[in-house]
């Protein structure tokens, strides 16, 4: 996950470039010939490729042509020797972004790269409806560039302008509320209220009152009429957050409202018609709750007309760097993050997702001097205790629990040492790649890894 690929056969020069760039927090990878470049390019995404025209195995122009076919977003910079300016012109015609004639000033190269990266980042920001978003005041900024987030953004763009009920599913901290707000802001209802209700935060007895309101005298202490959230949201959007936590009784009432688009206030005698769009969100597996009879199947189908799954951060680590920059900007920080610190972030699996990343960066920003270094990033030491709820009863069970823990430690350590290179890790610990993957999966499921 580097910003730039340097394709250069002269090793000392390439290493010097890499070091100078990394001083400026620009990450680089090296390829010493065309073959290596093509291989890396297929595996990873680079914002920029800096290509030497003269390579041992392939002509720079030909390499440019092939790389361009692999990734059309990358910007290509060409390095040519003095006196071969025609080649540079040829490269420009093929769509290279710029060229530098050797020997060049490294400062000049860095300035050029910084300019390109800034442009690229601006382009990636607000992935959601880049054009429309900028026109809509107050729409949330959604950051991301990887295919996972792009897919979510596309789905949202399709659903937003309709009145379809949208169900946003995702782990905690993945941005469910952010996407829900964006969905509202991109709909024709955007000038009407967006009313969020957290079904998990309000005690069940009070929730009904919150949702539907009450008439004066509906119960002891109801001294005035109270307007509920559904009524407040009229012509707008109701966001039912943590909808999986609704109790069965309220689920039935909610279903009725969704079907009829009307309800009565508590203690009320007449029916109130409403016009609201529903967006629901949950971090629980609703289908599972249905199976366990904790969630009504009919309500589930009603809500999941248009489900959108927001992937956890660990599945879209390509967005980490952009998110960090975004968070630092929101903090009005003038610090940036070192490549080694970024690497540390990408080795962690972020159970609390973007919210956890925000907290981590906020802390690091306070601790760090000018640049955030790995030691400024405090990540929880994942404590694995041998006993989760209770001690194993038999010695056999104890032995197997102990063995699992030991395996987890070895896997964790080796993944760290190999910088998450799973095939290398598998080789080192003497199992097949497949075995390692299935172990990782197993231990993740158990919350040990
Ligand atoms: N793609 C993104 N770009 C920028 N900021 C984001 C993105 N996704 C999430 N965030 C930020 O992360 C934080 C958590 O997002 P949000 O509250 O929407 O998550 P959530 O899924 O509703 O979490 P929870 O389940 O804990 O309620 C917010 O500060 C939000 O602005
Ligand atoms: Mg939320």
């Amino acid at each position: 996950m580097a910003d730039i690929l340097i394709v250069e056969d002269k090793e000392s020069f390439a290493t010097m470039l890499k070091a100078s760039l990394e001083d400026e927090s620009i990450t680089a990878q090296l390829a010493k010939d065309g073959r290596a470049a093509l291989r890396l390019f297929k595996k990873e995404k680079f914002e920029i490729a800096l290509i030497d025209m003269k390579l041992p195995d392939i002509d720079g122009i030909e390499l440019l042509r092939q790389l361009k076919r692999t990734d059309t977003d990358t910007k290509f910079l060409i390095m040519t020797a003095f006196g071969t300016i025609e080649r540079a012109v040829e490269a420009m015609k093929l769509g290279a972004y710029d060229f530098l004639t050797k020997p060049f000033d490294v400062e000049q190269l860095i300035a050029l790269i910084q300019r390109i990266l800034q442009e690229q980042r601006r382009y990636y920001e607000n992935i959601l409806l880049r054009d429309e978003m900028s026109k809509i005041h107050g729409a949330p900024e959604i950051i991301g560039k990887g295919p996972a987030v792009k897919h979510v953004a596309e789905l949202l763009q399709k659903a937003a302008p309709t009145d379809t009920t949208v169900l946003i599913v995702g782990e905690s901290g993945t941005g469910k509320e952010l996407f829900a707000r964006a969905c509202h802001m991109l709909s024709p209802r955007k000038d009407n209220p967006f009313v969020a209700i957290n079904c998990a935060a309000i005690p069940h007895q009070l929730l009904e009152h919150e949702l539907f309101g009450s008439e004066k005298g509906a119960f002891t202490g109801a001294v005035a009429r109270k307007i509920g959230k559904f009524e407040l949201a009229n012509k707008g959007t109701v966001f039912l957050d943590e909808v999986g936590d609704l109790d069965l009784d309220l689920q039935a009432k909610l279903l009725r409202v969704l079907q009829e688009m009307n309800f009565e206030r508590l203690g009320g005698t007449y029916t109130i018609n409403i016009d609201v769009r529903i967006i629901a969100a949950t971090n629980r597996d609703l289908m599972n709750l249905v199976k366990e009879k904790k969630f009504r199947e009919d309500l589930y189908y009603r809500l999941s007309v248009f489900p959108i799954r927001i992937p956890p951060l660990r599945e879209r680590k390509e967005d980490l760097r952009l998110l960090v920059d975004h968070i630092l900007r929101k903090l009005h920080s003038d610090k940036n993050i070192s490549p080694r610190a970024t690497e540390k972030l990408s080795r962690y699996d972020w159970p609390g997702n973007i919210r956890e990343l925000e907290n981590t960066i906020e802390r690091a920003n306070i601790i760090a001097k000018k640049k955030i270094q790995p030691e400024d990033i405090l990540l929880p030491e994942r404590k694995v205790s041998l006993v989760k709820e209770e001690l194993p009863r038999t010695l056999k069970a104890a032995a197997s629990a102990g063995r699992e823990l030991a395996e987890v430690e070895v896997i964790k350590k080796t993944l760290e040492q190999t910088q998450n290179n799973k095939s290398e890790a598998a080789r080192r610990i003497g199992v097949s790649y497949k075995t390692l993957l299935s172990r990782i999966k197993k231990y993740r499921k158990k919350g040990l890894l």
Side-chain angles (χ1 to χ4, degrees), residues 290-348:
V290 169
K291 279 194 203 117
E292 292 171 5
K293 300 255 180 292
K294 290 183 184 139
F295 202 82
R296 290 180 67 114
E297 190 171 10
D298 44 11
L299 180 60
Y300 170 75
Y301 286 114
R302 190 94 206 172
L303 289 176
S304 61
V305 182
F306 199 102
I308 295 180
R309 176 183 175 267
I310 307 188
L313 187 51
R314 63 179 170 282
E315 282 177 23
R316 47 169 165 143
K317 289 196 174 156
E318 66 273 19
D319 291 342
L320 259 173
R321 181 59 199 270
L322 280 180
L323 284 164
V324 170
D325 287 346
H326 173 71
I327 295 165
L328 286 171
R329 215 168 28 237
K330 275 208 297 192
L331 291 170
H332 304 290
S333 167
D334 51 3
K335 296 172 189 169
N336 59 18
I337 182 160
S338 79
R340 281 198 309 124
T342 310
E343 213 179 285
K344 179 167 180 183
L345 294 177
S346 71
R347 254 177 292 151
Y348 182 58

Side-chain angles (χ1 to χ4, degrees), residues 150-299:
K150 271 193 187 149
H151 180 63
V152 173
E154 273 165 25
L155 284 177
L156 201 75
Q157 262 166 268
K158 292 202 178 110
T162 70
D163 261 347
T164 304
T165 302
V166 172
L167 176 67
I168 303 178
V169 187
E171 290 176 13
S172 112
T174 45
K176 295 186 292 294
E177 178 151 2
L178 190 77
F179 277 92
R181 281 183 194 279
C183 190
H184 172 72
M185 290 311 292
L186 297 171
S187 80
R189 296 175 178 266
K190 69 178 190 324
D191 295 321
N192 299 318
F194 174 88
V195 177
I197 305 157
N198 188 330
C199 304
I202 307 170
H204 288 158
Q205 314 83 295
L206 300 184
L207 188 54
E208 184 174 6
H209 191 204
E210 279 295 313
L211 291 176
F212 306 119
S214 61
E215 294 295 348
K216 185 176 169 183
F219 47 86
T220 339
V223 288
R225 166 185 288 173
K226 179 183 164 76
I227 305 293
K229 301 265 188 181
F230 271 107
E231 234 178 307
L232 287 176
N234 202 18
K235 305 259 181 263
T237 304
V238 170
F239 176 48
L240 294 169
D241 204 359
E242 313 294 358
V243 75
D245 290 50
L246 274 184
D247 73 2
L248 283 164
D249 179 43
L250 270 180
Q251 286 177 26
K253 289 186 172 135
L254 176 63
L255 181 67
R256 218 209 80 191
V257 178
L258 299 189
Q259 275 164 349
E260 321 274 331
M261 277 295 151
N262 63 38
F263 62 92
E264 286 102 43
R265 297 192 193 116
L266 267 66
T269 47
Y270 59 96
T271 302
I272 295 162
N273 290 311
I274 45 163
D275 165 22
V276 294
R277 197 257 179 99
I278 304 284
I279 302 176
T282 182
N283 57 17
R284 308 183 56 176
D285 182 348
L286 283 189
M287 206 51 221
N288 230 353
L289 292 179
V290 169
K291 279 194 203 117
E292 292 171 5
K293 300 255 180 292
K294 290 183 184 139
F295 202 82
R296 290 180 67 114
E297 190 171 10
D298 44 11
L299 180 60

Side-chain angles (χ1 to χ4, degrees), residues 26 65 84 102 125 187 193 256 311 353 389 415:
I26 300 164
R65 205 175 270 133
T84 51
K102 281 182 177 174
E125 271 157 28
S187 80
R256 218 209 80 191
N353 294 292
E389 268 97 39
L415 283 176

